[in-house]
PDB file of all heavy atoms in Angstrom:
ATOM      1  N   PHE Z 107      23.422  12.788  11.539  1.00 97.00           N
ATOM      2  CA  PHE Z 107      23.023  14.181  11.777  1.00 97.00           C
ATOM      3  C   PHE Z 107      21.506  14.248  11.599  1.00 97.00           C
ATOM      4  O   PHE Z 107      20.874  13.217  11.337  1.00 97.00           O
ATOM      5  CB  PHE Z 107      23.759  15.134  10.816  1.00 97.00           C
ATOM      6  CG  PHE Z 107      23.433  14.933   9.360  1.00 97.00           C
ATOM      7  CD1 PHE Z 107      22.452  15.692   8.741  1.00 97.00           C
ATOM      8  CD2 PHE Z 107      24.110  13.978   8.604  1.00 97.00           C
ATOM      9  CE1 PHE Z 107      22.153  15.518   7.389  1.00 97.00           C
ATOM     10  CE2 PHE Z 107      23.813  13.793   7.260  1.00 97.00           C
ATOM     11  CZ  PHE Z 107      22.831  14.565   6.654  1.00 97.00           C
ATOM     12  N   GLU Z 134      20.386  15.551  -2.935  1.00 98.00           N
ATOM     13  CA  GLU Z 134      20.889  14.226  -2.528  1.00 98.00           C
ATOM     14  C   GLU Z 134      19.703  13.268  -2.494  1.00 98.00           C
ATOM     15  O   GLU Z 134      18.876  13.345  -1.589  1.00 98.00           O
ATOM     16  CB  GLU Z 134      21.520  14.265  -1.121  1.00 98.00           C
ATOM     17  CG  GLU Z 134      22.786  15.092  -1.011  1.00 98.00           C
ATOM     18  CD  GLU Z 134      23.478  14.961   0.353  1.00 98.00           C
ATOM     19  OE1 GLU Z 134      22.887  14.347   1.280  1.00 98.00           O
ATOM     20  OE2 GLU Z 134      24.596  15.472   0.486  1.00 98.00           O
ATOM     21  N   GLU Z 136      17.868   9.964  -1.503  1.00 98.00           N
ATOM     22  CA  GLU Z 136      18.113   9.001  -0.420  1.00 98.00           C
ATOM     23  C   GLU Z 136      16.888   8.113  -0.192  1.00 98.00           C
ATOM     24  O   GLU Z 136      15.750   8.572  -0.301  1.00 98.00           O
ATOM     25  CB  GLU Z 136      18.438   9.730   0.900  1.00 98.00           C
ATOM     26  CG  GLU Z 136      19.577  10.718   0.707  1.00 98.00           C
ATOM     27  CD  GLU Z 136      20.271  11.175   1.967  1.00 98.00           C
ATOM     28  OE1 GLU Z 136      20.040  10.575   3.039  1.00 98.00           O
ATOM     29  OE2 GLU Z 136      21.073  12.125   1.863  1.00 98.00           O
ATOM     30  N   ASP Z 165      17.718  15.131   0.296  1.00 98.00           N
ATOM     31  CA  ASP Z 165      18.398  15.842   1.389  1.00 98.00           C
ATOM     32  C   ASP Z 165      19.070  17.095   0.807  1.00 98.00           C
ATOM     33  O   ASP Z 165      20.285  17.148   0.641  1.00 98.00           O
ATOM     34  CB  ASP Z 165      19.416  14.884   2.034  1.00 98.00           C
ATOM     35  CG  ASP Z 165      20.265  15.550   3.097  1.00 98.00           C
ATOM     36  OD1 ASP Z 165      19.911  16.649   3.550  1.00 98.00           O
ATOM     37  OD2 ASP Z 165      21.295  14.942   3.482  1.00 98.00           O
ATOM     38  N   LYS Z 182      21.555  22.020   6.347  1.00 97.00           N
ATOM     39  CA  LYS Z 182      20.684  20.907   5.948  1.00 97.00           C
ATOM     40  C   LYS Z 182      19.219  21.171   6.307  1.00 97.00           C
ATOM     41  O   LYS Z 182      18.366  20.321   6.029  1.00 97.00           O
ATOM     42  CB  LYS Z 182      21.129  19.629   6.681  1.00 97.00           C
ATOM     43  CG  LYS Z 182      22.520  19.107   6.301  1.00 97.00           C
ATOM     44  CD  LYS Z 182      22.462  18.287   5.051  1.00 97.00           C
ATOM     45  CE  LYS Z 182      23.746  17.504   4.807  1.00 97.00           C
ATOM     46  NZ  LYS Z 182      23.611  16.667   3.600  1.00 97.00           N
TER      47      LYS Z 182
HETATM   48 MG1   MG V   1      22.369  13.240   2.836  1.00 92.80          MG
END
Side-chain angles (χ1 to χ4, degrees):
F107 64 95
E134 294 187 352
E136 307 198 12
D165 175 15
K182 294 277 193 177

